[in-house]
Amino acid sequence: MADQSAKLRKLGIEREDGLVLHLPLRYEDLTRVTPIRELRAGELAQVEGEVVRSEVSGRGRRTLVVELRDASATLTLRFFHFYPSQRAQLAPGNRVRAWGEPRGGLFGTEIVHPQIRVVRPGEPLPQRLTPVYPAAAGIGQAWLRAAVRRALDVADWDDAVPAACSAALGLMAPLAALRLLHEPPAGADLESLQQRTPPAWQRVIFDELLAQQLSLRRAREERAARSARPLANTALADRLRAALPFTLTGAQQRVWREIGAELAANRPMNRLLQGDVGSGKTVVAALAASQAIGSGAQAALMAPTEILAEQHLVKLRPWLERVGARVAWLASSLKQAEKRKVRAAVAAGEVDLLVGTHALIEQSVEFERLGLAIVDEQHRFGVAQRLALRAKSDEQPHQLMMSATPIPRTLAMSYYADLDVSVIDELPPGRRPVVTKLLAESRRDELVGRVRAAVASGRQAYWVCPLVEESEALDLQNAIDTRSRLSQELAPLSVGLVHGRLSGADKQSVMEQFTRGAIDVLVATTVIEVGVDVSNASLMVIEHAERFGLAQLHQLRGRVGRGVDDSVCVLMYRAPLSDTARERLRVMYETTDGFEIARRDLALRGPGEFLGARQSGVPLLRFADLERDAALVDAARDCAQRLMREDPQAAHRHLQRWLAGREAYIGA
């Protein structure tokens, strides 16, 4: 039994009954035999015949060559790795069934390393397709098939879904659907099974989506049952709004009303503020912080990179200090003495807003009265990190998460259903759309001339270096080499460099020089992806744009177009392009709408990559596809609401089956 448990853990399964949901990757059709003469190259098939010859040939690398004959023709079976037991099975005169992929060989049709089984003449064929399961080291298919069959035989799985929901969707009974998917009958349509379209798959997909919706809804209800300190004094926020040198857009006013009202309540706010690049999320965060401070609480803003956190500090500090709030900065690049000084001030309540990076959640950081936790680019933090910031308060703090990566509707309904979502869907007046151009690397010299012309007209430019996958050292060398080359090509213009290995002080120094115009062209790695705001920079070049994902390209493009001048983003690529890279560049060329880009990105990458660190502790959908199954997401959401209201015990059983204790971080 201990051995069984160890094997299950290797598969990520906590309990034996979890095998019921360990569904096949594919199937082998051993329910029929194909005459050897009718075999087609590349099409998996099973043959049956008599071994007429079996010999080991070759020197050094020995090969077992077997000739199999049926009534229609002969076939060669070839084994480059074999055991004495296989030689015995394949002795001349034995009757054998072989399954594999035929191909053309020097001496006619052959199958390399087929699955083989010695049979008696007339032995009946299986009546069901043979499942092939996701496996792990030391776990064979035979063991898995037997273990799954045992789990199915003892499964006590009543239907948790209300009859009205099942009837409306025409759902099969859950165990009947699972049995059908584990062992489909002979003649089942393999293609539709792979596409997950038969009614049995629809039932499993619906149940998975229902479990997710129940989990998120339960997280929301548990949070709503907690109390939080009401932050209802709006005087400081009103003063800040009056002091701003600009008027809020209609969208900013709308989301601020939503956030301000929630802060004033005695239930903890858990809201996601999303808005496209440049839509003005930071000022809404400033108003939220000022309402918290005005109500006697402290606020914290955590960003994933030092350069982004510093940009927030540069914007927020003058606004908040103008209305008397005390703002401090904490990052790992600070000297220990400075860190100790800041931590002491925060603990003593002498800091109203603390801005920083992961340094905010170090154990040594203690707040006197944290009432609001703001997390920017929240998908780039792990769940545990967000929980750690929230845990800095004895009371449940209000939480505002921000993202410039718009979330498609199906993803919001499926993975963010536990959050309230506010959307800034309007850009500030005067913001001009960025023109995107595609340019082959062979025209690089022409592009350098364009950069020189832009600087001559009084503008500045970014030149973003290509990503080298999984190698920060090579990324850095790329940036250094690019800066050196451009310095020669653009002399006597000033070419600066910013990258992730620079200290916080050095990064800030370079960005200050670029902001005041002392640097004409800034060579950068993706550290400028978010938060950088230099209105005079109207040209961006992204080198090897085919290496970047859609979200990154959209974020980078958002660094220009922040002034009143026309701005251009040039995506320079190296041919030939893969189909995926070509599609990404086409999307960027066709639209600047962040929501449309996010939708296309989801279709290209799937939710796992799209969500990033949000996935820590939130089970990925194993079977559902948010684009294909969007209608079932709607139905599961409605059914979850009904089930929790009418039969909470059934809802609990359904969650236990599907999540088996993996809910710990679902509401983070």
Side-chain angles (χ1 to χ4, degrees):
M1 197 67 184
D3 181 52
Q4 170 121 332
S5 298
K7 287 184 175 181
L8 291 177
R9 282 195 295 274
K10 275 189 179 182
L11 298 168
I13 299 171
E14 293 298 319
R15 304 192 311 250
E16 192 170 357
D17 57 2
L19 281 164
V20 172
L21 295 174
H22 192 67
L23 293 176
L25 288 169
R26 55 186 174 84
Y27 304 92
E28 295 170 350
D29 188 356
L30 306 181
T31 65
R32 57 197 175 103
V33 167
T34 302
I36 291 173
R37 186 179 296 280
E38 296 176 18
L39 291 175
R40 294 186 180 181
E43 290 186 10
L44 288 162
Q46 177 175 245
V47 296
E48 181 179 328
E50 181 183 336
V51 177
V52 294
R53 182 172 64 89
S54 177
E55 62 183 35
V56 176
S57 65
R59 295 177 182 175
R61 186 181 184 188
R62 289 149 57 82
T63 304
L64 175 61
V65 181
V66 177
E67 188 176 331
L68 192 71
R69 178 185 297 159
D70 70 4
S72 68
T74 59
L75 169 73
T76 299
L77 309 179
R78 194 177 298 276
F79 299 84
F80 297 111
H81 309 284
F82 54 91
Y83 300 99
S85 58
Q86 286 175 301
R87 286 197 66 181
Q89 287 178 309
L90 294 166
N94 283 354
R95 189 160 195 82
V96 168
R97 285 181 188 156
W99 161 269
E101 184 179 317
R103 69 180 192 184
L106 287 174
F107 305 104
T109 304
E110 66 178 26
I111 300 178
V112 176
H113 281 287
Q115 295 177 33
I116 57 165
R117 183 165 168 260
V118 178
V119 295
R120 303 183 310 276
E123 185 170 322
L125 290 160
Q127 297 302 298
R128 295 189 171 277
L129 302 183
T130 301
V132 179
Y133 291 102
I139 302 175
Q141 290 296 322
W143 183 90
L144 267 171
R145 287 168 190 147
V148 169
R149 201 170 292 118
R150 284 195 304 272
L152 280 168
D153 288 344
V154 299
D156 179 16
W157 205 317
D158 63 320
D159 195 343
V161 176
C165 294
S166 293
L169 294 167
L171 296 177
M172 292 180 65
L175 262 184
L178 287 163
R179 289 183 193 282
L180 198 62
L181 292 177
H182 281 292
E183 292 185 328
D189 185 345
L190 278 170
E191 186 175 347
S192 71
L193 283 168
Q194 290 299 119
Q195 296 297 321
R196 299 182 172 176
T197 55
W201 263 120
Q202 293 298 292
R203 175 63 207 239
V204 168
I205 288 167
F206 177 80
D207 279 358
E208 180 178 44
L209 291 168
L210 176 62
Q212 187 193 49
Q213 291 294 317
L214 286 169
S215 184
L216 290 167
R217 188 168 290 276
R218 190 158 78 175
R220 178 190 282 269
E221 288 186 359
E222 286 175 355
R223 189 181 299 111
R226 301 178 198 143
S227 60
R229 177 181 179 178
L231 307 174
N233 190 328
T234 63
L236 197 67
D238 293 341
R239 281 172 54 201
L240 173 59
R241 188 168 167 181
L244 290 171
F246 52 84
T247 303
L248 297 183
T249 65
Q252 285 172 322
Q253 291 179 46
R254 185 188 71 250
V255 302
W256 169 235
R257 283 195 298 271
E258 293 170 350
I259 291 166
E262 275 200 89
L263 288 173
N266 62 357
R267 295 283 178 265
M269 177 178 75
N270 194 46
R271 185 167 286 273
L272 173 65
L273 172 60
Q274 59 172 339
D276 213 340
V277 174
S279 61
K281 296 181 294 298
T282 305
V283 71
V284 176
L287 289 167
S290 62
Q291 182 162 320
I293 295 163
S295 303
Q298 290 173 299
L301 189 153
M302 183 169 72
T305 67
E306 215 162 289
I307 200 164
L308 175 55
E310 285 169 353
Q311 288 285 327
H312 281 308
L313 182 72
V314 167
K315 278 190 175 181
L316 292 168
R317 179 172 264 160
W319 289 343
L320 289 168
E321 288 184 347
R322 194 176 305 160
V323 293
R326 299 162 296 180
V327 181
W329 161 252
L330 188 63
S332 54
S333 63
L334 286 178
K335 293 177 180 176
Q336 286 301 324
E338 293 174 318
K339 283 185 188 175
R340 280 195 296 272
K341 185 178 177 182
V342 172
R343 288 196 295 259
V346 172
E350 295 165 3
V351 170
D352 298 313
L353 172 65
L354 181 62
V355 180
T357 57
H358 303 75
L360 270 63
I361 57 174
E362 290 175 0
Q363 197 170 358
S364 54
V365 178
E366 294 181 3
F367 290 82
E368 187 196 41
R369 53 183 192 284
L370 181 64
L372 172 64
I374 304 170
V375 181
D376 195 18
E377 291 302 306
Q378 55 83 32
H379 60 285
R380 291 169 62 164
F381 286 102
V383 174
Q385 291 169 320
R386 295 200 296 277
L387 285 173
L389 180 58
R390 191 188 298 172
K392 292 291 181 182
S393 174
D394 293 334
E395 298 178 295
Q396 178 84 7
H398 298 274
Q399 182 159 289
L400 177 64
M401 293 176 282
M402 303 195 295
S403 177
T405 302
I407 300 164
R409 176 180 173 274
T410 50
L411 202 61
M413 285 173 58
S414 184
Y415 281 97
Y416 291 90
D418 60 322
L419 299 179
D420 297 300
V421 180
S422 293
V423 180
I424 302 178
D425 51 8
E426 175 186 359
L427 290 177
R431 186 65 58 84
R432 301 170 73 89
V434 178
V435 175
T436 302
K437 296 182 180 294
L438 304 180
L439 195 75
E441 190 182 45
S442 57
R443 297 172 63 187
R444 187 181 184 282
D445 290 346
E446 179 186 328
L447 184 55
V448 170
R450 181 163 187 163
V451 172
R452 182 182 290 279
V455 175
S457 69
R459 303 289 159 237
Q460 292 164 277
Y462 296 101
W463 191 291
V464 181
C465 294
L467 283 169
V468 179
E469 196 167 335
E470 295 179 359
S471 176
E472 192 179 338
L474 288 176
D475 275 346
L476 176 57
Q477 192 57 49
N478 259 340
I480 292 169
D481 293 347
T482 301
R483 192 261 187 104
S484 176
R485 182 178 178 184
L486 284 173
S487 294
Q488 294 173 10
E489 292 171 327
L490 293 170
L493 300 182
S494 171
V495 181
L497 173 63
V498 65
H499 55 78
R501 294 277 186 92
L502 285 178
S503 70
D506 287 343
K507 277 184 211 160
Q508 195 167 1
S509 171
V510 173
M511 292 309 302
E512 281 175 359
Q513 290 176 65
F514 189 56
T515 302
R516 58 183 166 83
I519 291 174
D520 300 308
V521 179
L522 182 63
V523 174
T525 59
T526 54
V527 295
I528 64 156
E529 183 181 337
V530 285
V532 177
D533 188 356
V534 179
S535 59
N536 193 48
S538 61
L539 174 62
M540 171 171 283
V541 176
I542 303 177
E543 199 173 341
H544 280 294
E546 75 277 3
R547 296 185 188 175
F548 294 84
L550 268 176
Q552 271 187 315
L553 288 172
H554 183 56
Q555 289 276 11
L556 287 165
R557 180 170 61 184
R559 299 310 106 210
V560 291
R562 292 177 166 259
V564 295
D565 298 294
D566 291 333
S567 292
V568 177
C569 178
V570 180
L571 305 179
M572 186 164 61
Y573 63 89
R574 175 181 288 179
L577 293 172
S578 68
D579 291 344
T580 302
R582 185 179 293 108
E583 177 63 17
R584 281 200 300 259
L585 296 183
R586 187 169 71 85
V587 170
M588 291 299 296
Y589 179 75
E590 288 178 351
T591 183
T592 58
D593 181 345
F595 285 90
E596 175 60 16
I597 288 169
R599 190 190 69 77
R600 306 270 278 273
D601 196 18
L602 175 63
L604 281 172
R605 291 196 291 162
E609 286 186 63
F610 190 97
L611 289 161
R614 166 83 179 172
Q615 275 316 117
S616 303
V618 183
L620 266 175
L621 290 170
R622 289 177 284 167
F623 310 125
D625 178 285
L626 294 182
E627 288 288 305
R628 181 195 64 208
D629 304 317
L632 287 179
V633 175
D634 281 321
R637 183 189 57 183
D638 295 340
C639 184
Q641 187 173 355
R642 180 171 186 164
L643 189 58
M644 288 192 75
R645 183 178 65 246
E646 296 178 359
D647 194 346
Q649 289 302 315
H652 178 74
R653 289 196 303 276
H654 192 79
L655 279 169
Q656 286 299 305
R657 288 170 191 156
W658 277 90
L659 297 185
R662 289 180 291 173
E663 291 186 87
Y665 291 140
I666 196 113

